[in-house]
Amino acid sequence: MGLLRRPLVCGLLLLAAAGSGILFALYSATAKLYREPRAGDRDATSYQAFFGPEASEAGPRKTTILAPPHPNPQAAALPPPTSTSQPQAFSKRQPCHPLYLAVQRDPHFRGLFDLSIPVLLWGRLFTPELWDGLSLRKAPYGWQGLSRQVVASALALLNGSESAGLFAGPGEARARCLRCAVVGNGGILNGSRQGPHIDAHDYVFRLNGAVTRGFERDVGTKTSFYGFTVNTMKNSLYSYRNLGFTSVPQGQGLRYIFIPSDIRDYVMLRSAILGVPVPEGPDQGDRPQTYFGPEASASKFKLLHPDFIHYLTERFLKSKIINTNFGSLYMPSTGALMLLTALHTCDQVSAYGFITSNYQKFSEHYFDRKKKPLIFYVNHDLLLEAALWRDLHKAGIIQLYQR
Ligand SMILES: *[C@@H]1O[C@H](CO)[C@@H](O)[C@H](O)[C@H]1NC(C)=O
Ligand SMILES: *[C@@H]1O[C@H](CO)[C@@H](O)[C@H](O)[C@H]1NC(C)=O
């Protein structure tokens, strides 16, 4: 707690002063970046033991923890890459090093990963038991206090089997190693010239203020998935508009990954699939097409499972912030959720633009005009995330771009 104590006091004062929900409890810039692993991290058990048998009945979950018959069961049915540009030679030449093998070899991560956990929530998983179970936890980990009717009506629209998987296309078999790049927005990408390497992956995940125009050489052009909460998406459009983020990535084959952090995410999701203006709440009157383009169909929209977000937080990102006054504000960052989503759905994962130990050398975002320091808000724990990326990279489970 030593790391947090003083900043938290500052945060409290600022919070009181600001009287708003946005917080600035900052770690001191010289704080030691990495923490020792904690004993609790190693106590992980199987998904079933973790959430109990009731939860495990909510979906087609397997009890095997690792070594699924297929390198990654979530990706069992795949269409060819959705992008217009073909993966370049670099990804074809390299042999596949499926990440599940690296997970199996690592005594620490072997106990944390459950590669069979459902990543997405969709209509057929919506049962009375799931409702009861998720009603015990607040969003994004559950549905406490949310309107059942709103949640149910959104999920009713995600009822085709294609909504169960990120890549699912009916009846299409996958033939090869699925390589994914997840692109965070970190300043480390400025001047990196990683664009061609990023675009060479089969699928590219981006998030929040992911502007590509004008930054192609450093961040590439391909976007297969865009991840966000309605709050982070609209904040990005507002805050980074004059830095070039004038619209959310759009395109045929591009899919949107909703992070359900609030009832408004379910309301927006429902309106987006129906292609109608948002009927209620803070986004009332918004036309979803202005964000996601003209194509309104269930196959374009994916929804992270609240149980998956809970599992990720408990196993990988159980921050000490949870036990402070800010606990209810804490959740993994959008980038962390996307990277961990890729880890549970792809065979190989490269991470670009994520926080590294030398983050102070770089601006907050690659699209900043002037260098500005990375700000640590108390709703995320970026130092804990940095340690996780470092450890996953060391274990050979991800390739973390560093310079
Ligand atoms: C999915 O929902 C639509 C619209 O509510 C309905 O017409 C259809 O029968 C449902 N399909 C399944 C498989 O439940
Ligand atoms: C981006 O990189 C260029 C070249 O290395 C540098 O001059 C510039 O200051 C960087 N921009 C930011 C915002 O750090």
Side-chain angles (χ1 to χ4, degrees):
M1 261 350 264
L3 193 66
L4 282 173
R5 207 180 307 118
R6 197 172 40 144
L8 280 178
V9 172
C10 301
L12 277 167
L13 291 173
L14 275 165
L15 185 63
S20 81
I22 321 280
L23 350 104
F24 308 84
L26 322 206
Y27 301 94
S28 83
T30 53
K32 186 163 172 288
L33 182 56
Y34 295 124
R35 300 163 181 203
E36 294 305 317
R38 284 141 310 172
D41 288 350
R42 291 162 199 273
D43 291 339
T45 50
S46 75
Y47 179 81
Q48 179 147 5
F50 189 76
F51 290 113
E54 181 196 344
S56 74
E57 278 155 25
R61 286 167 188 153
K62 304 182 196 88
T63 46
T64 32
I65 308 303
L66 280 173
H70 190 277
N72 194 327
Q74 307 275 352
L78 282 182
T82 52
S83 162
T84 46
S85 59
Q86 284 302 308
Q88 286 155 18
F90 130 88
S91 82
K92 282 185 192 139
R93 276 202 308 270
Q94 301 197 350
C96 192
H97 299 289
L99 66 93
Y100 83 97
L101 286 178
V103 168
Q104 251 175 347
R105 275 195 304 268
D106 187 276
H108 173 57
F109 284 116
R110 187 166 56 220
L112 295 186
F113 272 91
D114 176 357
L115 291 174
S116 69
I117 186 173
V119 168
L120 300 181
L121 180 58
W122 62 296
R124 232 173 284 164
L125 300 185
F126 188 68
T127 59
E129 293 74 32
L130 188 72
W131 175 262
D132 292 344
L134 289 183
S135 293
L136 301 175
R137 295 195 304 255
K138 290 208 178 97
Y141 312 110
W143 291 333
Q144 195 176 89
L146 305 193
S147 152
R148 180 171 184 154
Q149 191 269 328
V150 168
V151 171
S153 66
L155 292 180
L157 298 170
L158 287 177
N159 65 352
S161 57
E162 90 272 358
S163 295
L166 277 189
F167 313 108
E172 289 181 88
R174 90 198 242 120
R176 62 202 166 78
C177 183
L178 186 69
R179 295 182 169 93
C180 298
V182 187
V183 185
N185 299 327
I188 191 172
L189 286 174
N190 174 34
S192 69
R193 299 177 178 250
Q194 292 303 300
H197 297 299
I198 290 169
D199 284 348
H201 290 76
D202 297 316
Y203 292 91
V204 178
F205 293 68
R206 300 184 196 268
L207 50 116
N208 294 344
V211 54
T212 53
R213 201 176 51 210
F215 302 92
E216 294 86 351
R217 203 180 57 176
D218 291 339
V219 307
T221 58
K222 184 192 280 190
T223 304
S224 318
F225 296 99
Y226 174 79
F228 63 100
T229 71
V230 172
N231 182 50
T232 65
M233 175 183 75
K234 290 178 77 167
N235 277 345
S236 299
L237 284 169
Y238 176 80
S239 306
Y240 311 133
R241 174 170 296 275
N242 58 4
L243 298 175
F245 190 65
T246 53
S247 71
V248 169
Q250 295 179 5
Q252 237 200 342
L254 196 155
R255 286 154 189 179
Y256 297 98
I257 303 178
F258 276 78
I259 298 166
S261 71
D262 190 278
I263 191 69
R264 71 194 283 199
D265 296 296
Y266 294 92
V267 175
M268 180 67 79
L269 173 61
R270 179 173 182 280
S271 307
I273 296 173
L274 293 174
V276 301
V278 177
E280 58 182 321
D283 310 302
Q284 184 170 12
D286 283 10
R287 293 173 53 250
Q289 298 94 314
T290 59
Y291 304 121
F292 312 118
E295 185 192 340
S297 86
S299 61
K300 226 170 160 52
F301 301 98
K302 309 291 178 182
L303 177 64
L304 284 194
H305 199 311
D307 271 341
F308 179 61
I309 302 175
H310 184 238
Y311 147 91
L312 294 180
T313 306
E314 287 292 315
R315 302 260 186 117
F316 297 95
L317 290 170
K318 195 163 183 175
S319 171
K320 289 175 177 172
I321 295 172
I322 292 169
N323 299 317
T324 70
N325 292 337
F326 300 106
S328 65
L329 299 169
Y330 172 78
M331 66 183 280
S333 71
T334 308
L337 291 174
M338 285 304 107
L339 183 44
L340 289 164
T341 293
L343 275 169
H344 286 74
T345 50
C346 307
D347 294 318
Q348 261 182 242
V349 173
S350 321
Y352 298 87
F354 280 78
I355 183 171
T356 54
S357 59
N358 60 347
Y359 69 91
Q360 291 179 64
K361 280 173 64 178
F362 310 108
S363 191
E364 182 177 20
H365 302 116
Y366 64 78
F367 46 77
D368 292 333
R369 295 244 168 84
K370 281 199 309 223
K371 183 174 175 187
K372 59 191 270 244
L374 181 61
I375 300 175
F376 293 85
Y377 296 95
V378 81
N379 58 335
H380 299 314
D381 191 341
L382 297 185
L383 296 182
L384 182 60
E385 293 182 5
L388 177 60
W389 313 144
R390 175 202 61 188
D391 293 345
L392 286 167
H393 178 82
K394 270 194 196 156
I397 298 168
I398 63 171
Q399 265 202 299
L400 176 66
Y401 174 69
Q402 304 174 76
R403 57 196 278 223

